[in-house]
Amino acid sequence: MSQPFVLPETQAVLDLLAAQPGPHLADLPAADARAVYHLLGDLFEEPADPSVRTLDLPPDSTGLGTPLRAYFPGPAQAGPVIVYMHGGGFVIGDLDTHNAVCTLVARVSGLRVVAVDYRLAPEHPYPAAHEDCLAAARFVAGAGAVLEAPVEGIAVAGDSAGGALACYLAARLGRDTVRAQLLIYPWLDATAADEGSYRDFAEGFLLDRRLMDRFITDSLPFETDVAGPDLSPVRHPLPAHLPPAVIVAAGLDPLRDQARALAAAMAGQGLECHFLEARGLIHGIATMRKALPSGDAVIRRATTIFADMIRATTA
């Protein structure tokens, strides 16, 4: 591989992280890795938009067993609702690590957003997260009373592992239920094939091969069909009923080629897809927007396209 293009803001983040003492994130116990993820958010993420009202929905208020957080960019109005799944390799991340980006999505889209605090591995490996998110999406579709105004269809969104979950929901529920999908550097091939961007960015760009191997070990039981369509959809023909998508890739991301492959497959099957690639940026831009302003601009642009797509399917 030739020398990759790295934005100065990206290099500053990488240099800062490289200078930090302590073990690799992949070598930490899950609880410690989750704590570090919170610290990275404190360091690199913009604060949550204070104009967006939030409402926590604990498990006993929904009957799901899964906490949810609802975001209201203004007075509740009848319309579609975005269901957001956080990233973190199915092992780290929660409602708080993605609070700021969910307020951004709500503010930019003008739509209600519901974030899902799905169960994490290794305590709850696959398919726990998929089951939680499917149940949450079905709940939100009929949760007009809880969300203070009728729900007229849902859209799905997520970053990294959350992008994988959003893609899974879109495939499972189809465009009759899901109006559109926003997939931010999604994890779409769990086979860990040592090729392309997965090989080229295996170390030195925050998300690396060691951390991916850790996520795979923790979240996917030995007997799991990692090459199946739920976990590796880019290795299969896409369902004809997939809703339109906005797909974001980061140029220095091991998962970059997976996002490219999904966009190409959707275009090849005549499915609507808008693809944005953030050149010179790393995996994690959705939750590192203070340190990576170019990434912030990409996420805002993708959300705007996503919102227009939702409204176009609602009209």
Side-chain angles (χ1 to χ4, degrees), residues 140-204:
V140 170
V146 175
L147 298 178
E148 303 177 4
V151 175
E152 298 174 349
I154 63 170
V156 295
D159 60 289
S160 194
L165 291 165
C167 185
Y168 164 76
L169 293 180
R172 181 70 180 266
L173 298 174
R175 67 168 65 101
D176 288 343
T177 300
V178 177
R179 299 188 180 279
Q181 49 184 326
L182 170 60
L183 311 179
I184 303 171
Y185 39 80
W187 183 8
L188 302 172
D189 185 349
T191 65
D194 189 19
E195 57 193 20
S197 61
Y198 204 89
R199 177 195 61 238
D200 293 343
F201 304 114
E203 60 179 317

CSV table of all heavy atoms in Angstrom, one decimal, residues 140-204:
chain,number,residue,atom,x,y,z
A,140,VAL,N,-40.7,0.6,19.2
A,140,VAL,CA,-40.7,2.0,18.8
A,140,VAL,C,-41.8,2.2,17.7
A,140,VAL,O,-42.5,3.3,17.7
A,140,VAL,CB,-39.3,2.5,18.3
A,140,VAL,CG1,-39.4,3.8,17.7
A,140,VAL,CG2,-38.4,2.5,19.5
A,141,ALA,N,-41.9,1.3,16.8
A,141,ALA,CA,-42.9,1.4,15.7
A,141,ALA,C,-44.3,1.6,16.2
A,141,ALA,O,-45.1,2.2,15.5
A,141,ALA,CB,-42.8,0.3,14.7
A,142,GLY,N,-44.6,1.2,17.4
A,142,GLY,CA,-45.9,1.3,17.9
A,142,GLY,C,-46.0,2.1,19.2
A,142,GLY,O,-46.9,2.0,20.0
A,143,ALA,N,-44.9,2.9,19.4
A,143,ALA,CA,-44.8,3.6,20.7
A,143,ALA,C,-45.2,5.1,20.7
A,143,ALA,O,-44.6,5.9,21.4
A,143,ALA,CB,-43.3,3.5,21.2
A,144,GLY,N,-46.3,5.4,19.9
A,144,GLY,CA,-46.7,6.8,19.8
A,144,GLY,C,-47.0,7.4,21.2
A,144,GLY,O,-46.7,8.6,21.4
A,145,ALA,N,-47.7,6.6,22.1
A,145,ALA,CA,-48.0,7.2,23.4
A,145,ALA,C,-46.8,7.6,24.2
A,145,ALA,O,-46.7,8.6,24.8
A,145,ALA,CB,-48.9,6.2,24.1
A,146,VAL,N,-45.8,6.7,24.2
A,146,VAL,CA,-44.6,6.9,25.0
A,146,VAL,C,-43.8,8.1,24.4
A,146,VAL,O,-43.2,8.9,25.1
A,146,VAL,CB,-43.7,5.6,25.0
A,146,VAL,CG1,-42.4,5.9,25.7
A,146,VAL,CG2,-44.5,4.5,25.8
A,147,LEU,N,-43.8,8.1,23.0
A,147,LEU,CA,-43.0,9.2,22.3
A,147,LEU,C,-43.8,10.4,22.0
A,147,LEU,O,-43.4,11.3,21.3
A,147,LEU,CB,-42.4,8.6,21.0
A,147,LEU,CG,-41.5,7.4,21.3
A,147,LEU,CD1,-41.0,6.9,19.9
A,147,LEU,CD2,-40.3,7.8,22.1
A,148,GLU,N,-45.0,10.5,22.7
A,148,GLU,CA,-45.8,11.8,22.8
A,148,GLU,C,-46.5,12.2,21.5
A,148,GLU,O,-47.1,13.3,21.4
A,148,GLU,CB,-44.9,12.9,23.3
A,148,GLU,CG,-44.3,12.6,24.7
A,148,GLU,CD,-43.4,13.7,25.2
A,148,GLU,OE1,-43.3,14.7,24.5
A,148,GLU,OE2,-42.7,13.5,26.2
A,149,ALA,N,-46.4,11.4,20.4
A,149,ALA,CA,-47.0,11.7,19.1
A,149,ALA,C,-47.0,10.4,18.3
A,149,ALA,O,-46.1,9.6,18.5
A,149,ALA,CB,-46.4,12.9,18.4
A,150,PRO,N,-47.9,10.3,17.4
A,150,PRO,CA,-47.9,9.0,16.6
A,150,PRO,C,-46.6,8.8,15.8
A,150,PRO,O,-45.9,9.7,15.4
A,150,PRO,CB,-49.0,9.3,15.6
A,150,PRO,CG,-50.0,10.2,16.3
A,150,PRO,CD,-49.1,11.1,17.1
A,151,VAL,N,-46.2,7.5,15.7
A,151,VAL,CA,-45.0,7.1,15.0
A,151,VAL,C,-45.5,6.6,13.6
A,151,VAL,O,-46.2,5.6,13.5
A,151,VAL,CB,-44.3,6.0,15.8
A,151,VAL,CG1,-43.1,5.5,14.9
A,151,VAL,CG2,-43.8,6.5,17.1
A,152,GLU,N,-45.0,7.3,12.6
A,152,GLU,CA,-45.4,7.0,11.2
A,152,GLU,C,-44.2,6.3,10.5
A,152,GLU,O,-43.5,6.9,9.6
A,152,GLU,CB,-45.9,8.2,10.5
A,152,GLU,CG,-47.1,8.8,11.2
A,152,GLU,CD,-47.5,10.2,10.6
A,152,GLU,OE1,-46.7,10.7,9.8
A,152,GLU,OE2,-48.6,10.6,10.9
A,153,GLY,N,-43.9,5.1,11.0
A,153,GLY,CA,-42.7,4.4,10.4
A,153,GLY,C,-41.4,4.7,11.1
A,153,GLY,O,-41.4,5.7,11.9
A,154,ILE,N,-40.4,3.9,10.9
A,154,ILE,CA,-39.1,4.1,11.6
A,154,ILE,C,-38.0,4.1,10.5
A,154,ILE,O,-38.2,3.7,9.4
A,154,ILE,CB,-38.8,3.0,12.6
A,154,ILE,CG1,-38.7,1.7,12.0
A,154,ILE,CG2,-39.8,3.0,13.8
A,154,ILE,CD1,-38.1,0.6,12.9
A,155,ALA,N,-36.9,4.7,10.9
A,155,ALA,CA,-35.7,4.6,10.1
A,155,ALA,C,-34.6,4.1,11.1
A,155,ALA,O,-34.8,4.2,12.3
A,155,ALA,CB,-35.3,6.0,9.6
A,156,VAL,N,-33.6,3.5,10.6
A,156,VAL,CA,-32.5,2.9,11.5
A,156,VAL,C,-31.2,3.6,11.2
A,156,VAL,O,-30.9,3.9,10.1
A,156,VAL,CB,-32.5,1.4,11.4
A,156,VAL,CG1,-33.8,0.8,11.8
A,156,VAL,CG2,-32.1,1.0,9.9
A,157,ALA,N,-30.4,3.7,12.3
A,157,ALA,CA,-29.1,4.3,12.1
A,157,ALA,C,-28.1,3.7,13.1
A,157,ALA,O,-28.6,3.2,14.2
A,157,ALA,CB,-29.1,5.8,12.3
A,158,GLY,N,-26.8,3.7,12.9
A,158,GLY,CA,-25.9,3.3,13.8
A,158,GLY,C,-24.5,3.4,13.3
A,158,GLY,O,-24.3,3.6,12.0
A,159,ASP,N,-23.5,3.3,14.2
A,159,ASP,CA,-22.1,3.4,13.8
A,159,ASP,C,-21.4,2.1,14.2
A,159,ASP,O,-21.6,1.6,15.2
A,159,ASP,CB,-21.4,4.6,14.4
A,159,ASP,CG,-21.4,4.6,15.9
A,159,ASP,OD1,-22.5,4.8,16.5
A,159,ASP,OD2,-20.4,4.4,16.5
A,160,SER,N,-20.5,1.6,13.3
A,160,SER,CA,-19.6,0.5,13.6
A,160,SER,C,-20.5,-0.8,13.8
A,160,SER,O,-21.3,-1.2,13.0
A,160,SER,CB,-18.6,0.8,14.7
A,160,SER,OG,-17.6,-0.2,14.8
A,161,ALA,N,-20.4,-1.4,15.0
A,161,ALA,CA,-21.3,-2.5,15.3
A,161,ALA,C,-22.7,-2.1,15.3
A,161,ALA,O,-23.6,-2.8,14.9
A,161,ALA,CB,-20.9,-3.1,16.7
A,162,GLY,N,-23.0,-0.8,15.7
A,162,GLY,CA,-24.3,-0.3,15.6
A,162,GLY,C,-24.8,-0.2,14.1
A,162,GLY,O,-26.0,-0.4,13.8
A,163,GLY,N,-23.9,0.1,13.2
A,163,GLY,CA,-24.2,0.1,11.8
A,163,GLY,C,-24.5,-1.3,11.3
A,163,GLY,O,-25.4,-1.5,10.5
A,164,ALA,N,-23.8,-2.3,11.8
A,164,ALA,CA,-24.2,-3.7,11.5
A,164,ALA,C,-25.6,-4.0,12.0
A,164,ALA,O,-26.4,-4.7,11.3
A,164,ALA,CB,-23.2,-4.6,12.2
A,165,LEU,N,-25.9,-3.5,13.2
A,165,LEU,CA,-27.3,-3.8,13.7
A,165,LEU,C,-28.4,-3.1,12.9
A,165,LEU,O,-29.4,-3.6,12.7
A,165,LEU,CB,-27.3,-3.4,15.2
A,165,LEU,CG,-26.5,-4.3,16.1
A,165,LEU,CD1,-26.3,-3.6,17.5
A,165,LEU,CD2,-27.2,-5.6,16.3
A,166,ALA,N,-28.1,-1.9,12.5
A,166,ALA,CA,-29.0,-1.1,11.7
A,166,ALA,C,-29.2,-1.8,10.3
A,166,ALA,O,-30.4,-2.0,9.9
A,166,ALA,CB,-28.5,0.3,11.5
A,167,CYS,N,-28.1,-2.3,9.7
A,167,CYS,CA,-28.2,-3.1,8.5
A,167,CYS,C,-29.1,-4.3,8.7
A,167,CYS,O,-29.9,-4.7,7.8
A,167,CYS,CB,-26.8,-3.4,8.0
A,167,CYS,SG,-26.8,-4.2,6.4
A,168,TYR,N,-28.9,-5.0,9.8
A,168,TYR,CA,-29.6,-6.2,10.1
A,168,TYR,C,-31.1,-5.9,10.2
A,168,TYR,O,-32.0,-6.6,9.7
A,168,TYR,CB,-29.1,-6.8,11.4
A,168,TYR,CG,-30.0,-7.8,12.1
A,168,TYR,CD1,-30.1,-9.1,11.6
A,168,TYR,CD2,-30.8,-7.5,13.2
A,168,TYR,CE1,-30.9,-10.1,12.1
A,168,TYR,CE2,-31.6,-8.4,13.8
A,168,TYR,CZ,-31.7,-9.7,13.3
A,168,TYR,OH,-32.5,-10.6,13.8
A,169,LEU,N,-31.5,-4.8,10.9
A,169,LEU,CA,-32.9,-4.5,11.1
A,169,LEU,C,-33.5,-4.1,9.7
A,169,LEU,O,-34.6,-4.5,9.4
A,169,LEU,CB,-33.0,-3.3,12.0
A,169,LEU,CG,-32.6,-3.5,13.5
A,169,LEU,CD1,-32.8,-2.3,14.3
A,169,LEU,CD2,-33.4,-4.7,14.1
A,170,ALA,N,-32.7,-3.4,8.9
A,170,ALA,CA,-33.3,-3.0,7.6
A,170,ALA,C,-33.5,-4.3,6.7
A,170,ALA,O,-34.6,-4.3,6.1
A,170,ALA,CB,-32.3,-2.1,6.9
A,171,ALA,N,-32.6,-5.2,6.8
A,171,ALA,CA,-32.8,-6.5,6.0
A,171,ALA,C,-34.0,-7.3,6.6
A,171,ALA,O,-34.8,-7.9,5.9
A,171,ALA,CB,-31.5,-7.3,6.0
A,172,ARG,N,-34.1,-7.3,7.9
A,172,ARG,CA,-35.1,-8.2,8.6
A,172,ARG,C,-36.5,-7.6,8.4
A,172,ARG,O,-37.4,-8.3,8.2
A,172,ARG,CB,-34.7,-8.3,10.1
A,172,ARG,CG,-35.6,-9.2,10.9
A,172,ARG,CD,-35.5,-10.7,10.5
A,172,ARG,NE,-36.4,-11.5,11.3
A,172,ARG,CZ,-36.1,-12.1,12.4
A,172,ARG,NH1,-34.8,-12.0,12.9
A,172,ARG,NH2,-36.9,-12.8,13.1
A,173,LEU,N,-36.6,-6.3,8.6
A,173,LEU,CA,-37.9,-5.7,8.6
A,173,LEU,C,-38.3,-5.1,7.2
A,173,LEU,O,-39.5,-5.0,7.0
A,173,LEU,CB,-37.9,-4.5,9.6
A,173,LEU,CG,-37.7,-4.9,11.1
A,173,LEU,CD1,-37.6,-3.7,12.0
A,173,LEU,CD2,-38.8,-5.9,11.5
A,174,GLY,N,-37.4,-4.8,6.3
A,174,GLY,CA,-37.7,-4.4,5.0
A,174,GLY,C,-38.3,-3.0,4.9
A,174,GLY,O,-38.5,-2.3,5.9
A,175,ARG,N,-38.4,-2.5,3.7
A,175,ARG,CA,-38.8,-1.1,3.5
A,175,ARG,C,-40.3,-0.8,3.9
A,175,ARG,O,-40.6,0.4,4.0
A,175,ARG,CB,-38.5,-0.6,2.1
A,175,ARG,CG,-39.4,-1.3,1.0
A,175,ARG,CD,-39.2,-0.6,-0.3
A,175,ARG,NE,-37.9,-0.7,-0.9
A,175,ARG,CZ,-37.6,-1.6,-1.8
A,175,ARG,NH1,-38.5,-2.4,-2.3
A,175,ARG,NH2,-36.3,-1.7,-2.3
A,176,ASP,N,-41.1,-1.8,4.1
A,176,ASP,CA,-42.5,-1.6,4.5
A,176,ASP,C,-42.5,-1.0,6.0
A,176,ASP,O,-43.4,-0.3,6.3
A,176,ASP,CB,-43.3,-2.9,4.5
A,176,ASP,CG,-43.6,-3.3,3.1
A,176,ASP,OD1,-43.5,-2.4,2.2
A,176,ASP,OD2,-44.0,-4.5,2.9
A,177,THR,N,-41.4,-1.4,6.7
A,177,THR,CA,-41.3,-0.9,8.1
A,177,THR,C,-40.2,0.2,8.3
A,177,THR,O,-40.4,1.2,8.9
A,177,THR,CB,-41.0,-2.0,9.1
A,177,THR,OG1,-42.1,-3.0,9.0
A,177,THR,CG2,-40.9,-1.5,10.5
A,178,VAL,N,-39.1,-0.1,7.6
A,178,VAL,CA,-37.9,0.8,7.8
A,178,VAL,C,-37.8,1.7,6.5
A,178,VAL,O,-37.7,1.2,5.4
A,178,VAL,CB,-36.6,0.0,7.9
A,178,VAL,CG1,-35.4,0.9,8.0
A,178,VAL,CG2,-36.7,-0.9,9.2
A,179,ARG,N,-38.0,3.0,6.7
A,179,ARG,CA,-38.0,3.9,5.6
A,179,ARG,C,-36.6,4.2,5.0
A,179,ARG,O,-36.5,4.5,3.8
A,179,ARG,CB,-38.6,5.3,6.1
A,179,ARG,CG,-40.1,5.1,6.6
A,179,ARG,CD,-40.7,6.4,6.8
A,179,ARG,NE,-42.1,6.3,7.3
A,179,ARG,CZ,-43.1,6.0,6.5
A,179,ARG,NH1,-42.9,5.9,5.2
A,179,ARG,NH2,-44.3,5.9,7.0
A,180,ALA,N,-35.6,4.2,5.9
A,180,ALA,CA,-34.2,4.5,5.4
A,180,ALA,C,-33.3,4.0,6.4
A,180,ALA,O,-33.6,3.7,7.6
A,180,ALA,CB,-34.1,6.0,5.1
A,181,GLN,N,-32.0,3.9,6.0
A,181,GLN,CA,-30.9,3.5,7.0
A,181,GLN,C,-29.7,4.4,6.8
A,181,GLN,O,-29.3,4.7,5.7
A,181,GLN,CB,-30.6,2.0,6.7
A,181,GLN,CG,-30.3,1.6,5.3
A,181,GLN,CD,-30.0,0.1,5.1
A,181,GLN,OE1,-29.4,-0.5,5.9
A,181,GLN,NE2,-30.5,-0.4,4.0
A,182,LEU,N,-29.1,4.7,7.9
A,182,LEU,CA,-27.9,5.5,8.0
A,182,LEU,C,-26.8,4.6,8.6
A,182,LEU,O,-26.9,4.2,9.8
A,182,LEU,CB,-28.0,6.7,8.8
A,182,LEU,CG,-26.8,7.5,9.1
A,182,LEU,CD1,-26.0,8.0,7.9
A,182,LEU,CD2,-27.1,8.7,10.0
A,183,LEU,N,-25.8,4.1,7.8
A,183,LEU,CA,-24.8,3.2,8.3
A,183,LEU,C,-23.5,3.9,8.3
A,183,LEU,O,-22.9,4.2,7.3
A,183,LEU,CB,-24.7,2.0,7.4
A,183,LEU,CG,-26.1,1.3,7.0
A,183,LEU,CD1,-25.9,0.2,6.1
A,183,LEU,CD2,-26.8,0.9,8.3
A,184,ILE,N,-22.9,4.2,9.5
A,184,ILE,CA,-21.7,4.9,9.7
A,184,ILE,C,-20.6,4.0,9.9
A,184,ILE,O,-20.6,3.2,10.9
A,184,ILE,CB,-21.8,6.0,10.8
A,184,ILE,CG1,-23.0,6.9,10.6
A,184,ILE,CG2,-20.5,6.7,11.0
A,184,ILE,CD1,-23.3,7.8,11.8
A,185,TYR,N,-19.6,3.9,9.0
A,185,TYR,CA,-18.5,2.9,9.0
A,185,TYR,C,-19.0,1.6,9.6
A,185,TYR,O,-18.5,1.1,10.6
A,185,TYR,CB,-17.3,3.4,9.7
A,185,TYR,CG,-17.4,4.2,10.9
A,185,TYR,CD1,-17.7,3.7,12.2
A,185,TYR,CD2,-17.3,5.6,10.8
A,185,TYR,CE1,-17.8,4.5,13.3
A,185,TYR,CE2,-17.5,6.4,12.0
A,185,TYR,CZ,-17.7,5.8,13.2
A,185,TYR,OH,-17.9,6.6,14.3
A,186,PRO,N,-20.0,0.9,9.0
A,186,PRO,CA,-20.6,-0.3,9.5
A,186,PRO,C,-19.6,-1.5,9.4
A,186,PRO,O,-18.8,-1.6,8.5
A,186,PRO,CB,-21.8,-0.5,8.7
A,186,PRO,CG,-21.4,0.1,7.3
A,186,PRO,CD,-20.6,1.3,7.7
A,187,TRP,N,-19.8,-2.4,10.4
A,187,TRP,CA,-19.1,-3.7,10.4
A,187,TRP,C,-19.9,-4.7,9.7
A,187,TRP,O,-20.9,-5.2,10.3
A,187,TRP,CB,-18.8,-4.1,11.9
A,187,TRP,CG,-18.0,-5.3,12.1
A,187,TRP,CD1,-17.4,-6.1,11.1
A,187,TRP,CD2,-17.7,-6.0,13.3
A,187,TRP,NE1,-16.7,-7.1,11.7
A,187,TRP,CE2,-16.9,-7.1,13.1
A,187,TRP,CE3,-18.1,-5.7,14.6
A,187,TRP,CZ2,-16.5,-8.0,14.1
A,187,TRP,CZ3,-17.7,-6.6,15.6
A,187,TRP,CH2,-16.9,-7.7,15.4
A,188,LEU,N,-19.6,-5.1,8.5
A,188,LEU,CA,-20.5,-5.9,7.6
A,188,LEU,C,-19.9,-7.2,7.2
A,188,LEU,O,-20.4,-7.9,6.4
A,188,LEU,CB,-20.8,-5.0,6.4
A,188,LEU,CG,-21.5,-3.7,6.6
A,188,LEU,CD1,-21.6,-2.9,5.4
A,188,LEU,CD2,-22.9,-3.9,7.3
A,189,ASP,N,-18.7,-7.5,7.8
A,189,ASP,CA,-18.1,-8.8,7.4
A,189,ASP,C,-17.3,-9.3,8.7
A,189,ASP,O,-16.3,-8.8,9.0
A,189,ASP,CB,-17.1,-8.7,6.3
A,189,ASP,CG,-16.5,-10.0,5.8
A,189,ASP,OD1,-16.7,-11.0,6.5
A,189,ASP,OD2,-15.9,-10.1,4.7
A,190,ALA,N,-17.9,-10.3,9.4
A,190,ALA,CA,-17.3,-10.8,10.6
A,190,ALA,C,-16.3,-11.9,10.4
A,190,ALA,O,-15.8,-12.4,11.4
A,190,ALA,CB,-18.4,-11.3,11.6
A,191,THR,N,-16.0,-12.2,9.2
A,191,THR,CA,-15.0,-13.3,8.9
A,191,THR,C,-13.6,-12.8,9.1
A,191,THR,O,-12.7,-13.7,9.2
A,191,THR,CB,-15.1,-13.8,7.5
A,191,THR,OG1,-14.8,-12.8,6.6
A,191,THR,CG2,-16.6,-14.2,7.2
A,192,ALA,N,-13.3,-11.5,9.3
A,192,ALA,CA,-12.0,-11.0,9.5
A,192,ALA,C,-11.0,-11.4,8.4
A,192,ALA,O,-9.9,-11.8,8.6
A,192,ALA,CB,-11.4,-11.5,10.9
A,193,ALA,N,-11.5,-11.3,7.2
A,193,ALA,CA,-10.7,-11.7,6.0
A,193,ALA,C,-9.5,-10.7,5.9
A,193,ALA,O,-9.7,-9.5,6.0
A,193,ALA,CB,-11.5,-11.6,4.8
A,194,ASP,N,-8.3,-11.2,5.8
A,194,ASP,CA,-7.1,-10.4,5.8
A,194,ASP,C,-6.8,-9.9,4.4
A,194,ASP,O,-6.0,-10.4,3.7
A,194,ASP,CB,-5.9,-11.3,6.3
A,194,ASP,CG,-4.7,-10.4,6.5
A,194,ASP,OD1,-4.8,-9.2,6.7
A,194,ASP,OD2,-3.6,-11.0,6.6
A,195,GLU,N,-7.6,-8.9,4.0
A,195,GLU,CA,-7.5,-8.4,2.6
A,195,GLU,C,-7.9,-6.9,2.6
A,195,GLU,O,-8.6,-6.4,3.5
A,195,GLU,CB,-8.4,-9.2,1.7
A,195,GLU,CG,-9.8,-9.2,2.1
A,195,GLU,CD,-10.7,-10.2,1.4
A,195,GLU,OE1,-10.1,-11.2,0.8
A,195,GLU,OE2,-11.9,-10.1,1.4
A,196,GLY,N,-7.5,-6.2,1.6
A,196,GLY,CA,-7.9,-4.8,1.4
A,196,GLY,C,-7.6,-3.9,2.6
A,196,GLY,O,-6.6,-4.0,3.2
A,197,SER,N,-8.6,-3.1,2.9
A,197,SER,CA,-8.4,-2.1,4.0
A,197,SER,C,-8.3,-2.8,5.4
A,197,SER,O,-7.6,-2.3,6.3
A,197,SER,CB,-9.6,-1.1,4.1
A,197,SER,OG,-10.8,-1.8,4.3
A,198,TYR,N,-8.8,-4.0,5.5
A,198,TYR,CA,-8.7,-4.7,6.8
A,198,TYR,C,-7.2,-5.1,7.0
A,198,TYR,O,-6.8,-5.1,8.2
A,198,TYR,CB,-9.6,-6.0,6.7
A,198,TYR,CG,-10.0,-6.5,8.1
A,198,TYR,CD1,-11.2,-6.1,8.7
A,198,TYR,CD2,-9.2,-7.5,8.8
A,198,TYR,CE1,-11.5,-6.6,9.9
A,198,TYR,CE2,-9.6,-7.9,10.0
A,198,TYR,CZ,-10.8,-7.5,10.6
A,198,TYR,OH,-11.1,-8.0,11.8
A,199,ARG,N,-6.5,-5.3,5.9
A,199,ARG,CA,-5.1,-5.6,6.0
A,199,ARG,C,-4.3,-4.3,6.1
A,199,ARG,O,-3.4,-4.2,6.9
A,199,ARG,CB,-4.7,-6.5,4.8
A,199,ARG,CG,-3.2,-6.8,4.8
A,199,ARG,CD,-2.8,-7.3,3.4
A,199,ARG,NE,-3.0,-6.3,2.4
A,199,ARG,CZ,-3.8,-6.5,1.3
A,199,ARG,NH1,-4.4,-7.6,1.1
A,199,ARG,NH2,-4.0,-5.5,0.4
A,200,ASP,N,-4.6,-3.4,5.2
A,200,ASP,CA,-3.8,-2.2,5.1
A,200,ASP,C,-3.8,-1.3,6.3
A,200,ASP,O,-2.8,-0.6,6.6
A,200,ASP,CB,-4.3,-1.3,3.9
A,200,ASP,CG,-4.1,-2.0,2.6
A,200,ASP,OD1,-3.3,-3.0,2.5
A,200,ASP,OD2,-4.8,-1.6,1.6
A,201,PHE,N,-4.9,-1.3,7.1
A,201,PHE,CA,-5.0,-0.5,8.3
A,201,PHE,C,-5.1,-1.4,9.6
A,201,PHE,O,-5.8,-1.0,10.5
A,201,PHE,CB,-6.2,0.4,8.2
A,201,PHE,CG,-6.2,1.3,7.0
A,201,PHE,CD1,-7.1,1.2,6.0
A,201,PHE,CD2,-5.2,2.2,6.8
A,201,PHE,CE1,-7.1,1.9,4.8
A,201,PHE,CE2,-5.1,3.0,5.6
A,201,PHE,CZ,-6.1,2.9,4.7
A,202,ALA,N,-4.3,-2.4,9.5
A,202,ALA,CA,-4.4,-3.4,10.6
A,202,ALA,C,-3.7,-2.9,11.9
A,202,ALA,O,-4.0,-3.4,13.0
A,202,ALA,CB,-3.7,-4.7,10.2
A,203,GLU,N,-2.9,-1.8,11.8
A,203,GLU,CA,-2.4,-1.2,13.0
A,203,GLU,C,-2.1,0.3,12.7
A,203,GLU,O,-1.8,0.7,11.6
A,203,GLU,CB,-1.1,-1.9,13.5
A,203,GLU,CG,0.0,-2.0,12.5
A,203,GLU,CD,1.2,-2.7,13.0
A,203,GLU,OE1,1.6,-2.5,14.2
A,203,GLU,OE2,1.8,-3.5,12.2
A,204,GLY,N,-2.1,1.0,13.8
A,204,GLY,CA,-1.7,2.4,13.7
A,204,GLY,C,-2.8,3.4,13.5
A,204,GLY,O,-2.5,4.6,13.4
